[in-house]
Amino acid sequence: MNYSAKVMDHFTNPRNVGEIENASGIGEVGNAKCGDIMKVYLKVENNIVADAKFKTFGCGSAIASSSMATELIKGKSIDDAWKLTNVAVAEALDGLPAIKMHCSVLAEEAIHLAINDYRKKAGLEEFEYKGKDGHGEINEK
Ligand code: FES
């Protein structure tokens, strides 16, 4: 399987690994088929993603996807962070092999859950998220 240089870079040197204490929102997803789990932590200030971190127990593509996805949402408004799709994550990584696209779906889903967790805690209405058919299973955190 051929991975882009960017995937290899974000896999071997992932950005934003770790947890955020007293996070504004947390999202955790798992994929039932491969068993991989991803957890995303957000710190939100003035409706902006001030910080984002992740813990991924999964394959290299899942680690690279969570690294890139957290980089892409940092500094963005919650509304813009919500719009991040798995396809945009994969494109920012210069592509993922077809059978590894579900790894980027985990990143999209974990971010959506973390945003809604934040909104719930802040007393805001949760955004509607339908998820991706047949992919990541949304777990309770
Ligand atoms: Fe399942 Fe990568 S193989 S997340």
Side-chain angles (χ1 to χ4, degrees):
M1 208 176 302
N2 281 333
Y3 289 107
S4 72
K6 271 197 192 162
V7 172
M8 291 311 293
D9 176 30
H10 281 263
F11 168 52
T12 54
N13 179 28
R15 282 61 146 184
N16 312 314
V17 175
E19 286 180 33
I20 296 176
E21 240 181 86
N22 301 318
S24 318
I26 299 173
E28 182 177 337
V29 286
N31 182 290
K33 282 186 197 145
C34 64
D36 291 355
I37 294 170
M38 187 183 293
K39 197 163 180 177
V40 166
Y41 302 79
L42 301 179
K43 184 181 172 76
V44 181
E45 284 169 358
N46 301 321
N47 207 40
I48 300 287
V49 179
D51 199 8
K53 291 202 181 296
F54 75 91
K55 277 185 164 177
T56 293
F57 303 93
C59 73
S61 299
I63 291 168
S65 293
S66 27
S67 171
M68 180 56 87
T70 48
E71 281 290 274
L72 289 171
I73 60 169
K74 280 204 296 187
K76 290 227 169 95
S77 70
I78 286 293
D79 290 53
D80 284 346
W82 181 263
K83 290 178 196 147
L84 182 72
T85 64
N86 76 295
V87 172
V89 173
E91 277 172 3
L93 288 167
D94 290 338
L96 283 170
I99 62 160
K100 289 286 177 180
M101 279 303 282
H102 79 268
C103 316
S104 61
V105 173
L106 281 187
E108 179 191 309
E109 289 182 340
I111 287 170
H112 278 93
L113 285 182
I115 288 174
N116 268 342
D117 185 44
Y118 154 70
R119 291 183 64 86
K120 204 160 131 186
K121 286 177 181 157
L124 301 165
E125 199 179 326
E126 290 175 54
F127 289 136
E128 191 183 350
Y129 182 58
K130 296 197 178 82
K132 303 277 177 186
D133 287 350
H135 289 289
E137 199 176 62
I138 295 182
N139 300 322
E140 301 282 11
K141 67 165 195 306

